[in-house]
Amino acid sequence: MSPFVLLLLGTTVVVAGIVGLRLHPFFALILAALTVSFLTPEKAVYRANLSEEARLQLFAETGEVDADQVTLAGKEPEVIAAHLAARKKSSSSFVSRVTTAFGGGCGKIAIVIAMASVIGACLLQSGAARKIVNSLMALFGLQRTPIAFALSAFTLGIPVFFDTVFYLLMPLAKALRRKTGKDYLLYILTIVAGATMAHSLVPPTPGPLTVVAFFDGISIGAMIGGGLIVGLFTVSVGILFAKWANSRWELPLRDEAELQGEWEAAVEEAPKALPSLGMSLAPILLPLILIGGKTCADIGGWQHPAIDFFGDKNIALILSAAVAVALLLKQNAATENNGNVSDILQQALQSAGIIILITAAGSAFGGVLRDTGIAETISALIPGNQSLVLIPVAFLVTAMVRTAQGSATVAMITAGGIIAPIASAAVLTYSPLYLALAIGCGSKPISWANDSGFWVIGRMSGMTPLETFKSVSVMM
């Protein structure tokens, strides 16, 4: 069966499963992986898992890539090892190929996502997230509150999932609207702009973290740096659009009776009840510094065991989670809060477990797509000096999947599984980091009724579906 047909079939199963059958993304991705793996010919799996060099040496005479026609006499040990590994994989069952890819994907991202979830929960429960927001609002002042909202949402969106960031900041937006009597839409849109871009561009959020795992030659540190730079521009454009939209449409504050006392509780909370700004930022900045430091050291050619150890993404996130837990314990003691820390951590890990399952299922789907040989087939159609075309292709593929099924994370995982094998087979004239960033940006359009975030934003802000679409969806 043609790799293009398998690609189309697998993508259709994902989209139809989520949209038509209302399946959880985990089930849709696993079902797509099993379907593609079952229909992929053994010969295609064998060919896709051979390096180009091994393929040329093994089949220089026959030109036909068939494991049964291999003659190993006189071949180099590396070529023989490559043949045996490819042969073993191609002869394994279609289910084992899915489970192997699932396990490999889980191993790359599970600890990081679990620790990021712990960090986010501790930031919320300790008051650190509120401290960051209050500090930025005090720094920028009331006139520049939209910038403070965008920066707060972007900063918190790195370790905290989008929905949670929005839940945290919306009471502040409502309270400010009540105090100023204007600019409610501006506040909402700047929060969305910051949180949604961090969600798709900066690890350890699951989408960009999984995309990095798909591509060879991209470090977590490089993705963090690239995501921060691209995020600076995209969030800035989001703020400009928010100001334009706010000047055209007046959004009323509905259900104002619920806001009594909200300003006092949200904005004017006693400083002594919150941790210091330095301690609040520490769990966020620590992994960025450690991972980014290792990336800079690699670029500069500096090698040291301590840099490699502390710059490892798993170690960096574990240390950051430990700092976050210590901060929560300290705040509980200082405020005489009897909250059970173990319950908070358990809930955080339960939330992370769902994300880990989805991302690992996406890795399994990407792995079986790689086995179809789609990468070699498509890269053969792209001349070596035209590899730049993959960047808009990566963006458009992600945007189509996002529009069809709603989830930005699923769109990134699906597109990463499609684009990464093509990039590995093509002769790129640039870093694959640009493809990863294009996938992250492509996961934004188009947010509409099949996106859970669309309804979260609408319900929390009091906007109607039409108001949400013409403001939030257009901005994304």
Side-chain angles (χ1 to χ4, degrees):
M1 185 175 290
S2 166
F4 287 111
V5 174
L6 291 171
L7 171 61
L8 180 61
L9 179 61
T11 306
T12 301
V13 170
V14 173
V15 174
I18 295 174
V19 177
L21 301 178
R22 304 294 182 184
L23 293 178
H24 189 278
F26 168 77
F27 293 114
L29 287 165
I30 285 295
L31 181 60
L34 290 170
T35 301
V36 172
S37 182
F38 175 74
L39 295 175
T40 301
E42 183 177 321
K43 184 185 292 188
V45 177
Y46 174 74
R47 179 186 178 93
N49 285 276
L50 278 178
S51 65
E52 184 66 25
E53 180 183 358
R55 195 180 305 143
L56 289 174
Q57 289 196 33
L58 290 171
F59 304 100
E61 297 178 359
T62 64
E64 178 68 24
V65 180
D66 190 337
D68 295 330
Q69 298 182 11
V70 168
T71 301
L72 297 177
K75 298 296 187 296
E76 297 176 1
E78 294 82 3
V79 174
I80 297 174
H83 159 74
L84 294 175
R87 178 61 170 159
K88 179 180 180 181
K89 185 169 185 178
S90 64
S91 61
S92 61
S93 70
F94 75 97
V95 176
S96 67
R97 292 200 295 272
V98 173
T99 56
T100 299
F102 181 91
C106 189
K108 292 178 181 178
I109 50 86
I111 293 178
V112 175
I113 291 177
M115 293 302 101
S117 184
V118 168
I119 293 168
C122 291
L123 288 177
L124 294 172
Q125 295 294 328
S126 66
R130 180 60 51 78
K131 178 65 177 181
I132 293 171
V133 175
N134 288 358
S135 298
L136 285 171
M137 290 176 64
L139 176 65
F140 286 95
L142 189 61
Q143 293 298 321
R144 296 184 179 87
T145 294
I147 298 177
F149 272 142
L151 289 178
S152 299
F154 190 86
T155 303
L156 295 174
I158 295 174
V160 180
F161 299 140
F162 170 81
D163 291 1
T164 306
V165 175
F166 198 73
Y167 288 140
L168 173 70
L169 294 179
M170 270 311 300
L172 287 168
K174 291 180 179 180
L176 277 170
R177 167 60 176 79
R178 179 168 170 258
K179 184 179 181 68
T180 63
K182 60 181 181 178
D183 296 338
Y184 185 39
L185 181 61
L186 177 61
Y187 300 148
I188 295 170
L189 292 181
T190 50
I191 291 172
V192 174
T196 193
M197 292 316 305
H199 177 74
S200 292
L201 288 174
V202 187
T205 49
L209 181 67
T210 308
V211 170
V212 168
F214 279 127
F215 287 91
D216 297 327
I218 305 179
S219 67
I220 295 289
M223 187 65 185
I224 290 174
L228 291 174
I229 293 171
V230 174
L232 173 66
F233 288 94
T234 54
V235 174
S236 297
V237 172
I239 294 173
L240 292 175
F241 175 85
K243 290 184 175 180
W244 175 84
N246 186 65
S247 67
R248 290 179 61 88
W249 306 309
E250 174 64 28
L251 182 66
L253 180 60
R254 301 176 175 110
D255 297 325
E256 188 173 344
E258 299 177 1
L259 297 174
Q260 294 298 327
E262 204 168 60
W263 170 261
E264 291 76 9
V267 181
E268 297 178 355
E269 185 172 352
K272 64 182 180 181
L274 300 176
S276 67
L277 180 61
M279 286 300 297
S280 299
L281 287 172
I284 300 174
L285 296 180
L286 181 61
L288 301 184
I289 293 171
L290 293 177
I291 297 171
K294 182 179 184 302
T295 300
C296 294
D298 292 340
I299 294 173
W302 306 318
Q303 297 293 327
H304 193 280
I307 295 177
D308 293 336
F309 177 78
F310 289 106
D312 179 84
K313 63 181 186 295
N314 295 304
I315 297 299
L317 267 294
I318 289 173
L319 292 174
S320 180
V323 172
V325 172
L327 174 63
L328 177 59
L329 291 170
K330 181 176 180 295
Q331 283 302 112
N332 281 357
T335 58
E336 298 182 356
N337 188 340
N338 296 322
N340 194 328
V341 175
S342 63
D343 289 344
I344 295 172
L345 299 183
Q346 181 174 336
Q347 292 173 4
L349 292 177
Q350 287 175 346
S351 176
I354 297 174
I355 303 298
I356 290 170
L357 286 174
I358 294 173
T359 51
S363 295
F365 180 48
V368 298
L369 283 177
R370 188 186 298 266
D371 289 341
T372 66
I374 186 66
E376 180 185 329
T377 303
I378 295 181
S379 62
L381 302 176
I382 303 174
N385 61 350
Q386 297 296 319
S387 62
L388 280 171
V389 75
L390 276 180
I391 295 178
V393 167
F395 177 91
L396 292 172
V397 167
T398 315
M400 286 189 293
V401 177
R402 162 64 192 262
T403 304
Q405 54 78 48
S407 169
T409 300
V410 172
M412 293 182 69
I413 293 170
T414 305
I418 295 170
I419 300 298
I422 302 172
S424 65
V427 181
L428 296 182
T429 56
Y430 52 87
S431 168
L433 173 64
Y434 293 101
L435 293 173
L437 293 171
I439 289 172
C441 291
S443 70
K444 295 300 92 184
I446 296 172
S447 173
W448 63 296
N450 63 355
D451 174 19
S452 62
F454 178 90
W455 297 106
V456 168
I457 295 169
R459 284 195 299 266
M460 284 290 293
S461 64
M463 287 194 289
T464 66
L466 179 59
E467 289 171 336
T468 307
F469 187 83
K470 74 177 184 179
S471 59
V472 174
S473 301
V474 173
M475 181 184 69
M476 287 194 186

